[in-house]
Amino acid sequence: MAQLKAVSSSSSLNLPVHVPKRDLFLYSNNVSFAKKSALFQELGARKSEVQGDAVVSNRGNALRVHCNKGIQVVASSDKVTEVNEATKTKGLRGKLNKVVLAYSGGLDTSVIVPWLRENYGCEVVCFTADVGQGVGELEGLEQKAKASGACQLVVKDLQEEFVRDFIFPCLRAGAIYERKYLLGTSMARPVIAKVRFELTFFALNPELNVVAPWREWDITGREDAIEYAKKHNVPVPVTKKSIYSRDRNLWHLSHEGDILEDPANEPKEDMYMMSTSPEAAPEKPEYVEIGIVAGLPVSVNGEKLSPASLLSCLNEIGGKHGIGRVDMVENRLVGMKSRGVYETPGGTILFTAVRELESLTLDRETMQVKDSLALKYAELVYAGRWFDPLRESMDAFMEKITETTTGSVRLKLYKGSVSVVSRTSPKSLYREDISSFESGQIYDQADAAGFIRLYGLPMRVRAMLEKGI
């Protein structure tokens, strides 16, 4: 049995990034992965061992991971892992040798492990990408994976890559879906509707075939999944009495299901985990200053921080003041409406700061074009089309026009609100000597008369036509 190995610091992998929640995707290729997939090459499998192997992902984005550190293999490669008889024989639906499952330890991934072994007679290696789910979700993950029937757990810290390569480009673009949603789940895995994860993998490797478990199994809902887990002695993290569907990463925490399925119901306060109730927030406001270079945040209160550290810092500050709660009904890609409640404290602060600085550094026409493209950019990310050439081209445009968006913004946080109190930029287009109501050498109030006559000429011509003049 091929064991996963820690990769060297110079290796580069295409690995599925997992954030817990929802459906699972199984990727199988009948040709040799030894030639087509860097994943199995770097993990040390021989060509003969990867024929017909598969990769499973839990609705996650696929990151091009440049490994600065070796991947942590929790189950060490020098240990002999017992292989159930189910992995030696053909399963109910066929035979696969090895499966890599993007694993959270949540209900969906816990259930998929025994389901894969039962139906495909395969070994299951669990892979967990740490994108800021929180310590609570990573603790005990190895025990959960093994209890579900996996032979191994691999963990990779991708928080810096996640913020730098996915969150920050969306922030720079001003991408907000349907006026409210800051794309927390979509940036971590460009899939909510089932087809979108497949689009990502087709972009990375068009020869991959897709086998989606939810299209095959008889599990029709979360209660069915709980029953299946109990039947196979798999520990489950939820009960029928408490079925909130949550998705957490360093950018946000989303809540769905349970009483939220009725848009008329107010969310319960004990549901929130990242933010304090605005009513219970401190009585004294807190000021925070965000330093920005070329449209991207680089510092908090004068202290330069790495992307992930900066976001973590603002999550803590914003959460304390009840910042970033959003309750919305959104339109899913497949046409249905869905209600979700989101907590994005740090992200809300950053969006406010960047947008405000742009008011100094972007002219009117550029700002209008940027805002119009931001809508399409958000749609592409929401639809799982992160690697689409259109999004990449739009990203190049966003990078170019925000070259001068450098400066600092000071914000006041108070009981759920974010107010801008100061903005400065060495590249500011704002000129006090021009904006003043006093006449000056650059701008003379009398100049406005001729401009107004020319600007209003189309309206005058139409009025003359209507009156027969």
Side-chain angles (χ1 to χ4, degrees):
M1 179 181 68
Q3 296 288 336
L4 293 180
K5 299 180 180 178
V7 297
S8 66
S9 60
S10 62
S11 60
S12 176
L13 310 181
N14 283 334
L15 292 177
V17 168
H18 148 76
V19 177
K21 190 171 131 182
R22 300 197 188 103
D23 300 316
L24 302 140
F25 295 75
L26 174 61
Y27 293 85
S28 178
N29 193 345
N30 291 327
V31 301
S32 173
F33 270 18
K35 294 182 178 179
K36 299 297 182 182
S37 172
L39 173 63
F40 283 96
Q41 286 180 334
E42 296 293 345
L43 293 180
R46 295 188 299 272
K47 178 177 179 181
S48 62
E49 293 171 328
V50 295
Q51 296 284 351
D53 282 11
V55 178
V56 178
S57 175
N58 176 23
R59 277 186 159 188
N61 190 2
L63 283 175
R64 295 188 180 109
V65 182
H66 299 282
C67 301
N68 297 320
K69 301 178 182 178
I71 291 180
Q72 176 189 356
V73 180
V74 176
S76 96
S77 59
D78 58 358
K79 293 182 180 178
V80 178
T81 304
E82 293 184 5
V83 181
N84 189 287
E85 287 300 320
T87 65
K88 296 180 180 179
T89 60
K90 183 177 180 181
L92 299 176
R93 300 173 186 271
K95 175 62 180 173
L96 294 171
N97 295 332
K98 184 184 280 80
V99 165
V100 177
L101 168 67
Y103 181 77
S104 70
L107 176 60
D108 292 338
T109 50
S110 295
V111 167
I112 202 66
V113 174
W115 188 89
L116 286 170
R117 286 161 58 87
E118 178 182 18
N119 286 272
Y120 289 100
C122 57
E123 297 176 31
V124 180
V125 176
C126 292
F127 171 81
T128 296
D130 180 4
V131 289
Q133 300 96 304
V135 176
E137 293 199 24
L138 296 177
E139 285 181 346
L141 214 56
E142 178 186 2
Q143 290 77 10
K144 287 183 181 180
K146 289 186 176 181
S148 298
C151 66
Q152 201 169 19
L153 174 66
V154 179
V155 179
K156 180 71 173 79
D157 186 349
L158 298 177
Q159 294 184 70
E160 292 293 346
E161 291 91 337
F162 174 49
V163 179
R164 182 187 64 239
D165 299 336
F166 288 80
I167 290 177
F168 276 9
C170 287
L171 175 65
R172 179 176 57 201
I176 301 177
Y177 183 72
E178 296 191 339
R179 307 169 185 168
K180 289 184 176 182
Y181 180 38
L182 299 183
L183 298 167
T185 299
S186 303
M187 289 186 293
R189 45 164 188 178
V191 184
I192 292 179
K194 295 178 176 68
V195 68
R196 287 180 285 173
F197 187 81
E198 299 169 23
L199 294 177
T200 297
F201 264 75
F202 284 151
L204 295 176
N205 188 343
E207 295 191 29
L208 286 175
N209 297 317
V210 179
V211 180
W214 81 91
R215 294 176 187 163
E216 301 179 15
W217 62 14
D218 298 324
I219 299 174
T220 59
R222 293 179 68 81
E223 292 193 5
D224 283 352
I226 292 172
E227 290 299 328
Y228 184 91
K230 290 180 177 179
K231 179 181 177 182
H232 291 78
N233 298 317
V234 174
V236 292
V238 296
T239 66
K240 293 181 181 179
K241 293 182 179 180
S242 175
I243 310 183
Y244 275 122
S245 182
R246 287 187 169 101
D247 176 33
R248 183 166 187 165
N249 57 50
L250 198 57
W251 182 249
H252 89 156
L253 172 61
S254 68
H255 312 266
E256 294 179 347
D258 201 41
I259 66 167
L260 299 179
E261 292 183 352
D262 184 351
N265 290 332
E266 180 181 2
K268 296 179 180 179
E269 185 57 39
D270 62 5
M271 178 193 72
Y272 294 97
M273 301 172 67
M274 286 184 74
S275 59
T276 301
S277 168
E279 294 84 354
E283 295 297 328
K284 184 179 179 180
E286 181 172 355
Y287 292 85
V288 60
E289 184 173 348
I290 310 298
I292 299 168
V293 174
L296 300 178
V298 296
S299 67
V300 176
N301 294 329
E303 181 182 1
K304 291 187 177 181
L305 299 169
S306 71
S309 297
L310 185 146
L311 182 53
S312 295
C313 175
L314 291 178
N315 279 337
E316 183 177 351
I317 296 173
K320 180 174 64 175
H321 291 278
I323 306 299
R325 291 186 176 187
V326 170
D327 183 346
M328 67 179 291
V329 175
E330 65 196 72
N331 290 293
R332 292 286 174 84
L333 181 65
V334 293
M336 70 181 71
K337 288 185 179 291
S338 175
R339 194 251 189 115
V341 177
Y342 303 97
E343 299 178 75
T344 320
T348 300
I349 293 172
L350 289 175
F351 256 89
T352 303
V354 172
R355 192 177 186 89
E356 193 63 29
L357 189 59
E358 288 178 349
S359 69
L360 292 180
T361 61
L362 299 184
D363 62 79
R364 178 177 58 191
E365 296 294 329
T366 302
M367 189 179 294
Q368 289 176 351
V369 172
K370 181 178 184 293
D371 288 347
S372 65
L373 290 178
L375 296 174
K376 185 61 178 179
Y377 192 107
E379 289 179 4
L380 290 172
V381 176
Y382 187 85
R385 297 172 62 183
W386 184 269
F387 297 103
D388 194 299
L390 176 57
R391 190 211 63 83
E392 293 176 341
S393 299
M394 293 170 66
D395 202 47
F397 169 80
M398 298 297 180
E399 183 177 3
K400 178 63 179 178
I401 65 169
T402 57
E403 284 179 341
T404 60
T405 304
T406 295
S408 64
V409 177
R410 194 164 182 252
L411 307 165
K412 181 169 71 174
L413 314 180
Y414 181 66
K415 289 189 174 295
S417 68
V418 183
S419 304
V420 180
V421 298
S422 170
R423 75 286 281 164
T424 61
S425 172
K427 304 290 186 179
S428 175
L429 299 177
Y430 180 89
R431 290 281 301 267
E432 188 175 354
D433 56 343
I434 297 178
S435 302
S436 172
F437 287 104
E438 302 294 332
S439 295
Q441 294 181 347
I442 299 178
Y443 174 71
D444 190 333
Q445 299 285 351
D447 295 339
F451 170 77
I452 292 172
R453 289 180 63 84
L454 290 174
Y455 192 76
L457 184 60
M459 290 181 284
R460 291 184 62 194
V461 171
R462 181 175 294 276
M464 292 170 65
L465 176 63
E466 291 176 351
K467 293 183 178 181
I469 299 177

